[in-house]
Amino acid sequence: MAENKAKKILLSIKTEIGAPCQMLDDIQNESVLEIQKDHLREIVEFLLHNHQPIHLTTITADSMESDPNQIHIFYNFWKGEGFTLLTKLNQNDLELNSILDLIPGVDFYEREVAEMYGIHFANRENTPSLLLPDDWDQKPPMRSQVKE
Amino acid sequence: MEKITIPIGPQHPLLKEPLSLRINVSGEQVLGGDLRLGYVHRGIEKLAQTRNYVQNVHLVERICGICSHVHTTAYCHSVERLLGIEIPERAQFIRALLCELERIHSHLLWVGILAKHIGLDTIFMHTWHDREMVLDMMEELSGGRVSHAVNKIGGVRFDLDEKHGPMITKTIQKLHNEVEKLLDIITHEPTIKARTRGVAAITAEEIRQYGVVGPVARASGVDMDMRRDDPLPPYDRLDFSVITQTSGDAWARTVVRVEEVQESINLCEQILKKIPGGATETRARSRVPAGQVTTRAEAPRGELFYYLRSDGTDKPARLKIRTPTLPVLSILTKQLADIQVADIPVVLAGVDLCIACADR
């Protein structure tokens, strides 16, 4: 199980921002905080202002068989130990606010999630194809296991 | 002066792997650029969902031809965490030995490429000669120069025998002397300084903003190394220093890598001294209990991240891999702004790109 440091950071989000969120133990060795997608930017801004230096390792998308109507988006952070913000998107509303202006390094991660899972990132210019061919016209390849 | 866009790649003599760069120039001044990946995208993450856990060891090994062993190390460790097993200590030390040999040959390869790009073919030849010693050693140990197939879920596939220890000790001692000479040349040779000092410098703040990892981050003073910060065993029982510089330029990145080679040589010596006896593998079930786990390992180019989710079957439900080149690439276009055309190869070589890793 993750140690106290990451949990304290996630608990500070809960207490300071007051947004609806819950601690999960989904990932064996990391603390996970599930948040509403509308609060993502506010929470990332809070982390950047209060917990620097902080490192965003990547964004991981996953469509779970146990939760076929949603795509789980994990923001995997590192600050001495790993911790994760999780937000769940409904299949009929696959839009998420971009955090590119807050963390410039997120560009490729958002673009990859966009093309592999069909997520639309709002508040950024566009997400041009990063890995798939420009003329790719089939469904996002990593979403195939989701019942549509 | 008129702005011109120069396409470089996806196939270009400058590039060792396919990458499409579009660089905007005005005369000799570079204004900026954009890049496009995907030319060696093999869909590894998708393929992993169709293969069982054992087959995937061989799949992830083929992500990269330079750091193949650290990929299987991170993957096997993730599976072993979900299985709730700890591999024998001897196997942990053998894994670490191969990780350090891999780091040495990766860094030497890079120094050679940089030297070639700045017109120092003699250094290129010397470093690649030294790297060859490491590859020979890895072949002797595992039977493979590129894909070593050392790791298996639950341990390692081979054991060190009585002739391996003296062979490695003798070779790394020779390597140690060569690397000392190399460091002396790099720190004193005026041409290297002239071509790398102040070129494509990145500040620590930019490193953090772009999430850059590995030797590039450490060259800018960002003290981050997963061998120390989130150690896979047996790194928690080994003594080593995390090498950093502060200037963040191509010169600092060179010095960091050469000093890291020295540190890896020290680690190899320690591993040979401390390696315990005993078994090299433990039994692992083919069906992995449902769960999610993350693993961070220090690849030669920096933090390597694996996310693995099992649904209780013999195949992963999701395997996500973030290789260290991806965040480094994200800052590349920024680095290309405000430099001279002649410095483009130094910038490209300076960050040690692995496109096969980034594309997966």
Side-chain angles (χ1 to χ4, degrees):
Chain A
M1 287 294 289
E3 291 171 20
N4 289 334
K5 200 171 170 183
K7 271 191 179 162
K8 275 182 188 165
I9 294 172
L10 295 179
L11 285 172
S12 74
I13 294 171
K14 239 178 149 176
T15 50
E16 296 292 324
I17 296 188
C21 53
Q22 59 172 330
M23 297 285 284
L24 303 174
D25 54 4
D26 288 15
I27 300 178
Q28 273 186 19
N29 56 322
E30 285 195 8
S31 299
V32 180
L33 185 73
E34 185 185 347
I35 60 169
Q36 303 292 316
K37 70 171 192 172
D38 295 336
H39 296 287
L40 173 68
R41 283 181 60 86
E42 186 186 3
I43 290 170
V44 171
E45 276 183 281
F46 171 79
L47 288 173
L48 293 174
H49 285 139
N50 296 283
H51 295 288
Q52 284 285 19
I54 201 160
H55 167 64
L56 177 66
T57 304
T58 192
I59 304 175
T60 303
D62 193 357
S63 27
M64 313 252 182
E65 306 77 17
S66 57
D67 192 7
N69 296 317
Q70 290 186 315
I71 293 183
H72 295 209
I73 311 289
F74 300 91
Y75 286 77
N76 306 104
F77 284 93
W78 174 263
K79 187 174 170 66
E81 58 192 58
F83 66 92
T84 298
L85 297 178
L86 162 65
T87 188
K88 296 176 181 173
L89 303 182
N90 283 320
Q91 289 279 357
N92 54 8
D93 180 20
L94 294 176
E95 185 168 298
L96 190 57
N97 280 324
S98 168
I99 55 167
L100 181 61
D101 56 326
L102 304 174
I103 304 176
V106 86
D107 183 21
F108 286 177
Y109 308 146
E110 286 188 350
R111 285 166 66 177
E112 186 176 334
V113 168
E115 67 188 85
M116 294 296 172
Y117 284 85
I119 312 294
H120 173 66
F121 284 91
N123 305 326
R124 61 172 290 171
E125 275 185 10
N126 54 29
T127 50
S129 194
L130 181 71
L131 295 169
L132 295 177
D134 290 329
D135 58 354
W136 179 269
D137 58 0
Q138 296 171 48
K139 64 182 177 182
M142 292 301 286
R143 268 173 64 191
S144 57
Q145 60 183 294
V146 179
K147 290 169 194 161
E148 292 178 355
Chain B
M1 197 174 282
E2 190 187 358
K3 175 183 145 186
I4 298 170
T5 301
I6 305 173
I8 301 179
Q11 305 296 336
H12 190 278
L14 175 68
L15 303 166
K16 306 292 173 286
E17 295 177 274
L19 167 73
S20 176
L21 278 166
R22 297 191 172 272
I23 296 177
N24 303 319
V25 299
S26 175
E28 288 295 311
Q29 187 70 38
V30 179
L31 305 172
D34 195 12
L35 63 89
R36 170 82 159 82
L37 295 171
Y39 300 96
V40 279
H41 177 60
R42 289 143 290 164
I44 297 273
E45 292 178 11
K46 182 76 178 170
L47 282 171
Q49 293 172 336
T50 66
R51 286 158 166 75
N52 66 37
Y53 283 99
V54 175
Q55 291 169 323
N56 278 325
V57 179
H58 306 287
L59 179 69
V60 299
E61 181 148 37
R62 277 147 186 84
I63 290 172
C64 178
I66 307 297
C67 56
S68 56
H69 176 73
V70 75
H71 275 286
T72 58
T73 301
Y75 171 74
C76 288
H77 190 79
S78 304
V79 179
E80 287 151 6
R81 266 183 169 161
L82 283 176
L83 284 167
I85 59 173
E86 192 167 328
I87 65 168
E89 268 194 276
R90 186 168 178 83
Q92 294 170 0
F93 276 78
I94 292 173
R95 279 185 183 178
L97 176 67
L98 268 290
C99 276
E100 293 313 312
L101 291 176
E102 193 170 75
R103 195 179 322 281
I104 294 169
H105 96 74
S106 175
H107 283 5
L108 290 175
L109 176 144
W110 175 85
V111 174
I113 289 175
L114 180 81
K116 186 158 178 59
H117 280 315
I118 59 179
L120 296 169
D121 274 13
T122 308
I123 294 180
F124 163 67
M125 289 295 186
H126 272 292
T127 50
W128 278 47
H129 166 266
D130 297 343
R131 174 178 176 256
E132 206 60 26
M133 290 195 281
V134 185
L135 291 179
D136 287 346
M137 205 165 17
M138 291 175 105
E139 186 178 9
E140 181 71 28
L141 289 171
S142 69
R145 289 164 62 83
V146 175
S147 297
H148 316 294
V150 166
N151 284 323
K152 61 192 291 189
I153 296 166
V156 291
R157 191 177 58 83
F158 82 98
D159 198 0
L160 295 177
D161 62 28
E162 71 280 353
K163 71 175 192 302
H164 286 139
M167 180 270 290
I168 299 170
T169 307
K170 190 179 163 191
T171 312
I172 58 176
Q173 186 54 54
K174 199 172 165 191
L175 201 57
H176 179 78
N177 298 336
E178 295 298 320
V179 171
E180 272 204 351
K181 280 187 234 165
L182 181 64
L183 187 62
D184 184 50
I185 293 170
I186 284 169
T187 46
H188 294 102
E189 216 285 322
T191 315
I192 294 180
K193 280 189 196 172
R195 290 301 308 274
T196 56
R197 277 216 157 151
V199 174
I202 311 173
T203 65
E205 181 55 30
E206 288 168 335
I207 292 285
R208 291 195 183 98
Q209 284 178 349
Y210 283 83
V212 177
V213 294
V216 179
R218 291 191 284 273
S220 297
V222 175
D223 185 8
M224 183 184 185
D225 187 323
M226 287 300 144
R227 290 176 295 175
R228 180 200 59 198
D229 301 338
D230 193 15
L232 300 183
Y235 284 105
D236 49 349
R237 280 159 279 161
L238 300 172
D239 297 320
F240 62 98
S241 303
V242 175
I243 309 294
T244 56
Q245 287 278 325
T246 51
S247 59
D249 53 9
W251 185 81
R253 293 194 274 274
T254 312
V255 174
V256 163
R257 285 197 179 89
V258 176
E259 290 187 354
E260 284 190 358
V261 169
Q262 291 182 313
E263 209 55 44
S264 290
I265 289 170
N266 294 338
L267 276 167
C268 288
E269 286 169 348
Q270 271 188 64
I271 288 167
L272 290 176
K273 277 182 195 153
K274 292 182 177 176
I275 187 168
T280 54
E281 60 177 298
T282 189
R283 203 173 164 78
R285 294 189 305 276
S286 59
R287 295 177 86 82
V288 175
Q292 297 165 68
V293 73
T294 61
T295 296
R296 288 172 168 86
E298 189 69 22
R301 293 176 180 82
E303 178 204 31
L304 172 67
F305 174 84
Y306 270 64
Y307 163 85
L308 176 66
R309 179 171 63 83
S310 169
D311 56 3
T313 65
D314 64 347
K315 292 175 185 161
R318 177 78 171 100
L319 178 66
K320 160 77 184 181
I321 304 156
R322 202 283 276 126
T323 60
T325 292
L326 207 56
V328 172
L329 273 169
S330 72
I331 204 169
L332 185 65
T333 50
K334 186 178 171 59
Q335 279 190 288
L336 286 169
D338 294 329
I339 60 165
Q340 294 290 301
V341 170
D343 288 330
I344 294 174
V346 180
V347 172
L348 290 181
V351 288
D352 193 12
L353 302 175
C354 177
I355 307 304
C357 266
D359 274 3
R360 287 152 288 145

